[in-house]
Amino acid sequence: MNPLSFPETKLKLIPTSGEYPKGFKVTGLHCGVKKDASRKDLALIYSEVPCNAAAVFTQNIFKAAPVVVSKEILDKTGGENVNVLVANSGCANAVTGARGLDNARLMSSTAAEVVGAETGSLVMSTGVIGHHLPMKQILEGINSAKDTLGDNHEAWLNTSIAFMTTDTFPKLRSGSFKLPSGVTYRMAGLSKGAGMIHPNMATLLGMVATDAPVSAACLKSALKYAADRSFNAISIDGDTSTNDTIAVLANGASTQDKAHFIQDESSEDFRQFRQDLTDFTAELAKLVVRDGEGATKFVTISVENAHTFEDAKQVANTIVTSALVKTALYGQDANWGRILCAVGYSGIENVDPTKVNLTFVPSDGSDPLELLKGGEPVGFSEQRALEVLKHEDIYVRLDLGVGNESAKMYTCDFSHEYVSINADYRS
């Protein structure tokens, strides 16, 4: 697969260059998991410098074998000296019993051995559930991956392509950031996902590589905070998968000064790194929503002035999982009663219907469209509403008026194409 084969409408989302962290080498190649030899299906990410690592995983009870193995490695090492990640697409290695666990552990140990790492590799798999990995092809691919490792944009792009299943474009971002102490560091990240997407997390894989100087404990804390506001703030279809993993590898190669190492969660450097990671992972998460199966709209639900962050998140989550809301948005129908209905059954207690405001904010910068003010409906032009909802990006602002906390979630619409894609997924 090459960039020219991606949908014309998605090309604007694929970077043509990047700024990548020091010390990392990556590759993406075809090893034979996918039948089509032109489709990459194996990725290897390696830091020549020892890394601290952290990850967040699916909350699904049927955790896939690679999730179990990656958790074992992080628990055993405390997140230290883990500088390899191997991933395959095309087969999830989920609900595969003891054999699946053995295969995931063999992937991990082989990837570490190939690059000479001291501890096992983190492992990710994505694809169809209930099938065993073709280990002969996987192991041959891992062994050949070392010869194709690179640190340029092409290598990173190939790696992101190797993560794809039903994705229509590779999801890759990179950039440089500056800490209050003066240290400039870089992050590169990739994600995959298009369906079975819902908080905690989704059929979603993602990783961030950074040369930021951050301890394992601080990295773990920062990732949890960031994930709650990014990958755990998206929903496409309300289904939480078995394989979700978001991992961060940090090798500290941006500075040789140990005094700049982030080890205190109360420090300005930590707070800045946490915010940088949150913003960066949010960009990666939004790319997943923009590739939602059959999606025609990118929708931001902003719940404001809630009593607590948890309340705001719960209300937003209820709205983004409403099939009625999502089908209305697909039909460009300003049926705002469906949104209020979702708020009403969200389960939070701190809602006063007489204080609720609801507004659609146009993406073209024109005047907002007020729908509800102080619990009272506002007369509006249906023609104006149609103009707002024709845009690809839709911003919904819900003001609960009972506090000062807010939360955002990102979703897409439900289209006829979503049903077609998932009805034909295995064929």
Side-chain angles (χ1 to χ4, degrees):
M1 186 176 287
N2 61 71
L4 295 179
S5 69
F6 302 132
E8 189 71 29
T9 57
K10 304 297 186 182
L11 294 181
K12 62 185 179 182
L13 300 173
I14 305 172
T16 57
S17 62
E19 189 171 3
Y20 298 103
K22 297 177 180 179
F24 284 93
K25 289 189 174 182
V26 302
T27 189
L29 49 87
H30 174 81
C31 73
V33 182
K34 296 174 181 174
K35 296 178 182 178
D36 186 346
S38 69
R39 300 185 65 194
K40 293 176 172 57
D41 53 17
L42 184 72
L44 186 68
I45 297 158
Y46 166 60
S47 171
E48 299 170 303
V49 182
C51 285
N52 290 323
V56 289
F57 301 97
T58 181
Q59 299 301 304
N60 194 302
I61 295 296
F62 287 95
K63 291 177 174 58
V67 170
V68 174
V69 171
S70 291
K71 286 172 65 68
E72 287 176 351
I73 290 171
L74 290 175
D75 289 344
K76 180 179 179 180
T77 62
E80 296 181 349
N81 294 316
V82 180
N83 55 327
V84 193
L85 186 152
V86 63
N88 76 272
S89 57
C91 178
N93 191 13
V95 198
T96 47
R99 177 178 164 187
L101 285 169
D102 289 342
N103 287 340
R105 292 188 179 110
L106 186 55
M107 279 184 68
S108 172
S109 61
T110 303
E113 182 181 347
V114 162
V115 296
E118 295 179 3
T119 58
S121 169
L122 298 182
V123 188
M124 296 180 177
S125 295
T126 183
V128 179
I129 294 170
H131 291 260
H132 290 292
L133 291 169
M135 288 305 294
K136 181 176 183 294
Q137 292 92 322
I138 290 275
L139 297 179
E140 288 176 352
I142 293 174
N143 278 285
S144 65
K146 184 178 181 181
D147 297 330
T148 62
L149 287 167
D151 58 7
N152 58 18
H153 176 69
E154 182 180 6
W156 278 97
L157 184 61
N158 284 334
T159 304
S160 63
I161 291 173
F163 272 65
M164 295 170 58
T165 52
T166 60
D167 306 64
T168 66
F169 70 96
K171 300 164 180 65
L172 172 66
R173 288 292 181 267
S174 65
S176 63
F177 306 84
K178 192 169 184 177
L179 299 173
S181 61
V183 172
T184 297
Y185 72 97
R186 288 143 291 275
M187 282 194 282
L190 50 89
S191 58
K192 70 79 49 184
M196 204 179 283
I197 303 291
H198 189 63
N200 296 323
M201 281 167 296
T203 182
L204 182 153
L205 301 183
M207 74 81 55
V208 175
T210 179
D211 53 18
V214 55
S215 70
C218 285
L219 187 64
K220 181 178 181 179
S221 174
L223 178 59
K224 175 64 171 65
Y225 179 94
D228 282 344
R229 291 157 177 80
S230 57
F231 288 108
N232 279 338
I234 63 175
S235 182
I236 289 176
D237 45 26
D239 282 332
T240 299
S241 176
T242 54
N243 289 58
D244 314 333
T245 304
I246 303 298
V248 182
L249 300 178
N251 66 13
S254 60
T255 178
Q256 299 297 316
D257 189 348
K258 296 300 181 182
H260 289 307
F261 217 75
I262 302 172
Q263 302 185 74
D264 181 2
E265 292 186 33
S266 67
S267 68
E268 290 187 11
D269 272 9
F270 172 79
R271 287 193 292 268
Q272 185 61 56
F273 172 75
R274 185 178 66 178
Q275 188 59 51
D276 291 343
L277 184 63
T278 300
D279 294 342
F280 190 73
T281 52
E283 285 302 308
L284 289 171
K286 290 176 185 178
L287 292 176
V288 174
V289 177
R290 290 193 181 279
D291 203 19
E293 290 171 344
T296 69
K297 308 288 186 185
F298 177 87
V299 185
T300 301
I301 304 293
S302 178
V303 179
E304 303 171 4
N305 295 315
H307 184 65
T308 64
F309 170 77
E310 290 74 19
D311 279 358
K313 187 73 173 289
Q314 187 168 330
V315 169
N317 181 64
T318 308
I319 295 170
V320 301
T321 53
S322 167
L324 290 178
V325 171
K326 290 156 76 70
T327 50
L329 293 173
Y330 171 66
Q332 301 175 10
D333 178 10
N335 191 348
W336 56 266
R338 294 181 176 182
I339 298 174
L340 268 294
C341 181
V343 177
Y345 67 72
S346 65
I348 69 167
E349 297 180 358
N350 296 298
V351 176
D352 182 345
T354 67
K355 295 182 179 180
V356 175
N357 303 317
L358 180 64
T359 307
F360 285 173
V361 182
S363 59
D364 61 1
S366 58
D367 291 338
L369 179 67
E370 280 192 317
L371 304 169
L372 191 75
K373 189 170 184 178
E376 300 285 343
V378 177
F380 63 91
S381 163
E382 289 287 351
Q383 180 58 38
R384 172 59 179 152
L386 182 60
E387 292 173 359
V388 172
L389 293 176
K390 278 185 176 180
H391 291 281
E392 179 181 349
D393 285 31
I394 297 174
Y395 192 101
V396 179
R397 178 186 294 150
L398 177 71
D399 182 349
L400 296 181
V402 293
N404 299 305
E405 296 296 324
S406 63
K408 290 181 181 178
M409 288 193 69
Y410 309 98
T411 190
C412 57
D413 55 349
F414 264 160
S415 70
H416 302 290
E417 184 65 15
Y418 175 82
V419 177
S420 298
I421 289 171
N422 283 282
D424 296 336
Y425 180 68
R426 290 209 309 158
S427 56

